[in-house]
Amino acid sequence: MSNYSVPKKVNECADRPCKASALFALIFVLSSFLMANKPVVAQTLSLEQALQLAIQYDPLLKGNAHRKDRFNAEADASSYWANPQVSASVQNLPTDGFAFDQEPMTQFKVGLKQQLPRGDENLYSQQKYQVMADQMSVESQARKAWLKREVTLTWLDWVYATRRIGLLDKEKSLLTQLLDFTDSRYSQGVGAAAQQDILQVRLALLSLDDKYVQAYQQKNEARSALSKWFGAPLDDSVSAPLAQSTQESTPSYPKRIELDAILNDSKLSLSSFLTVIENSEPFSILQHHPEAMLLQIQTQIEAQNVNIAREQTKSQWAFEASYGYRQDAQNGASRADFVSLGVQVDLPFFNKSRQDASIAAAASKMSASETDFRLKVNELAANAEVLKSRLSALSERKALYETALIGETQQLSEAELTAYTTDTGDISDVVNANLKQVQVQDDLLKIDIERARTLASLTYLYLPTHAHFSNKE
């Protein structure tokens, strides 16, 4: 509740300079109420810093690096044949004496067996793991683009809530100064100042409490959401940047969000980027977006699975060789040693139906992946068209506010103030006109934030694709 009290009205001031002094004081107050105070020097978290920290501490990116190493190692391992098999045995040992030289059939046999891959199965397995390793690189690209978008959107929510609190502070300052001025006029009996004027300003002050609660709630939620990308809560000393523009703001034209910062490390200016998206046909260019490329790579993996399934219809061969040592007979007669050569082959022709079903399943999975790719491209392209339309509308609204609404509300505020100080206007009109000026600034801030959010979503769609073509050049 407000601590302000309504004083009793006294006799009107007969001294005209009293009114002139009050008019001068009110004009001075209302002409400066929108001027922003210089912020206390604090540690701010810029968008570039937030993006760098999020990428640096992202567990998925680190995991993808390990998975890529794994697939490369598996590709190397799958290129080798199966291990050769060595066997050793004593054969035909007589049980009546267990003498090695008793019977001519007794021998000590050592063998070696090598099983060959089934067709080109090893080659296709190696290619499959190499593609899977490439998939991890593209998935990391997609993750980085996604991280940049999500961190940027959260950071913008934080900046909006912080700057909106600043606007509420200006509104509170205005209402407080109007209350003091109205209180002074009422106490001195100047003009038509009435008790209702003071109550109306006090009511406007009290209504700010709910706005403050909502703004601080939004700020705290955005701050907490932002900290999850860093693996730890943000330090209390870290604050959102109040302004990124190099130009000084004015009461009627507050500082804006610097949209070039959203383009990050793309080496593109805002105008260049807007030219890129205007001259690009999304249904063709977004085929090279990481999200779409992941599905293309998945199709390549499924194609290798089809090849591997087809190789299962081929026979698998194995070759073996053995040497049998025989000891001379007990009477001294010499016994020849034995050498054996052999080949083994399985016969996969008896389960042809099962193999055909496996091939058909792998082919269907590959076709489904191709369909998923087309659906993803259509989805990305449709989102791009929606975002481009939204950005155009927001730009028109921004121009309307900057060229007309801000100036008109400022003129209205000055006119209502002049009318009230000459006893031809009402205090409610003065309050509403000045609050309208703050509201227009708040609306313009919302438009700037929404434009920045839209631009962040467009950069998620177009910047990875632009980088893809730039690398090819």
Side-chain angles (χ1 to χ4, degrees):
M1 295 296 293
S2 174
N3 294 325
Y4 294 104
S5 60
V6 181
K8 295 182 180 180
K9 188 170 183 179
V10 298
N11 293 333
E12 294 185 359
C13 179
D15 189 3
R16 300 306 297 176
C18 175
K19 184 174 182 179
S21 299
L23 174 60
F24 175 78
L26 183 57
I27 292 176
F28 175 78
V29 166
L30 293 180
S31 64
S32 61
F33 84 94
L34 290 175
M35 294 295 291
N37 294 327
K38 292 185 178 180
V40 177
V41 177
Q43 182 182 1
T44 61
L45 182 67
S46 67
L47 179 57
E48 291 82 359
Q49 292 171 331
L51 295 176
Q52 291 174 3
L53 290 173
I55 293 175
Q56 179 180 354
Y57 292 105
D58 184 54
L60 184 59
L61 291 177
K62 297 179 180 179
N64 282 348
H66 295 302
R67 281 184 281 271
K68 182 177 180 179
D69 293 340
R70 166 205 164 188
F71 290 134
N72 284 327
E74 290 189 354
D76 185 52
S78 62
S79 64
Y80 294 95
W81 290 359
N83 292 330
Q85 300 176 3
V86 177
S87 61
S89 62
V90 177
Q91 297 183 348
N92 305 318
L93 185 67
T95 59
D96 57 351
F98 294 99
F100 197 81
D101 56 356
Q102 177 181 339
E103 300 294 337
M105 297 180 61
T106 301
Q107 58 182 299
F108 176 74
K109 186 177 181 180
V110 178
L112 179 65
K113 180 180 179 180
Q114 177 64 61
Q115 189 175 38
L116 302 183
R118 193 183 299 274
D120 293 327
E121 181 180 7
N122 279 17
L123 174 63
Y124 293 129
S125 295
Q126 182 182 24
Q127 294 176 353
K128 172 184 174 181
Y129 285 119
Q130 288 173 345
V131 174
M132 293 175 74
D134 295 337
Q135 186 182 36
M136 290 300 99
S137 298
V138 177
E139 185 172 327
S140 294
Q141 295 175 12
R143 176 68 176 181
K144 288 181 180 179
W146 182 84
L147 269 178
K148 289 180 179 180
R149 181 188 65 180
E150 295 302 308
V151 172
T152 299
L153 295 180
T154 308
W155 183 85
L156 287 171
D157 290 340
W158 186 35
V159 169
Y160 169 69
T162 302
R163 298 192 184 185
R164 187 166 188 269
I165 291 173
L167 287 176
L168 293 178
D169 290 340
K170 295 177 183 179
E171 185 175 345
K172 182 177 182 180
S173 176
L174 162 69
L175 292 175
T176 302
Q177 294 168 28
L178 279 176
L179 180 61
D180 292 340
F181 178 76
T182 307
D183 188 3
S184 175
R185 282 171 57 87
Y186 180 78
S187 300
Q188 298 175 13
V190 177
Q195 189 178 37
Q196 291 84 350
D197 295 344
I198 301 176
L199 292 175
Q200 187 171 3
V201 179
R202 288 180 58 192
L203 181 61
L205 269 171
L206 292 174
S207 68
L208 281 178
D209 291 343
D210 183 56
K211 295 181 181 180
Y212 269 113
V213 171
Q214 295 181 32
Y216 276 104
Q217 178 185 356
Q218 293 173 355
K219 179 182 177 180
N220 293 333
E221 289 180 356
R223 183 188 180 89
S224 299
L226 190 63
S227 65
K228 73 178 180 180
W229 306 115
F230 312 139
L234 289 177
D235 190 86
D236 292 338
S237 62
V238 178
S239 61
L242 292 178
Q244 290 179 295
S245 176
T246 57
Q247 297 179 351
E248 290 296 327
S249 61
T250 64
S252 61
Y253 196 88
K255 295 180 180 179
R256 302 287 179 253
I257 300 294
E258 186 59 59
L259 298 182
D260 285 330
I262 298 176
L263 297 175
N264 206 273
D265 54 355
S266 64
K267 298 180 181 179
L268 286 175
S269 64
L270 177 59
S271 58
S272 299
F273 177 72
L274 294 177
T275 302
V276 169
I277 64 176
E278 285 298 327
N279 297 336
S280 301
E281 204 290 308
F283 285 88
S284 59
I285 192 173
L286 291 180
Q287 294 183 22
H288 304 283
H289 189 274
E291 280 193 38
M293 291 179 65
L294 282 175
L295 295 174
Q296 278 186 318
I297 293 177
Q298 186 62 38
T299 301
Q300 296 175 19
I301 294 174
E302 301 301 340
Q304 298 301 329
N305 286 333
V306 172
N307 292 332
I308 293 173
R310 287 174 178 166
E311 294 304 300
Q312 300 304 309
T313 64
K314 298 180 180 180
S315 299
Q316 186 171 27
W317 295 79
F319 297 91
E320 59 181 352
S322 62
Y323 177 81
Y325 168 76
R326 293 198 303 170
Q327 191 170 343
D328 293 341
Q330 295 178 354
N331 59 5
S334 177
R335 292 173 178 171
D337 297 335
F338 294 147
V339 174
S340 301
L341 299 175
V343 61
Q344 294 180 358
V345 60
D346 66 349
L347 301 176
F349 313 109
F350 297 99
N351 55 2
K352 187 175 184 302
S353 298
R354 186 188 68 182
Q355 293 168 351
D356 291 344
S358 298
I359 295 174
S364 297
K365 197 171 182 180
M366 181 183 68
S367 299
S369 183
E370 292 175 346
T371 303
D372 292 340
F373 165 73
R374 179 47 55 187
L375 288 174
K376 176 57 67 174
V377 172
N378 292 345
E379 177 187 347
L380 294 174
N383 288 340
E385 292 293 342
V386 171
L387 292 171
K388 287 164 63 176
S389 177
R390 182 182 304 167
L391 184 64
S392 176
L394 289 170
S395 298
E396 292 181 4
R397 292 184 61 196
K398 176 182 173 67
L400 175 63
Y401 271 77
E402 292 178 346
T403 60
L405 287 178
I406 286 183
E408 291 293 333
T409 53
Q410 184 177 10
Q411 293 179 14
L412 176 63
S413 174
E414 295 172 353
E416 293 293 348
L417 175 60
T418 301
Y420 178 69
T421 54
T422 57
D423 291 334
T424 58
D426 190 78
I427 185 63
S428 62
D429 296 329
V430 178
V431 173
N432 291 334
N434 285 277
L435 293 182
K436 180 63 176 177
Q437 192 173 0
V438 177
Q439 181 61 48
V440 168
Q441 291 187 15
D442 189 24
D443 291 341
L444 183 55
L445 176 60
K446 291 179 182 178
I447 292 175
D448 279 338
I449 294 293
E450 189 59 31
R451 283 187 78 229
R453 291 175 61 88
T454 304
L455 183 63
S457 298
L458 283 171
T459 56
Y460 169 74
L461 293 176
Y462 282 96
L463 281 188
T465 307
H466 180 266
H468 171 79
F469 286 106
S470 298
N471 292 334
K472 280 192 172 183
E473 293 176 358

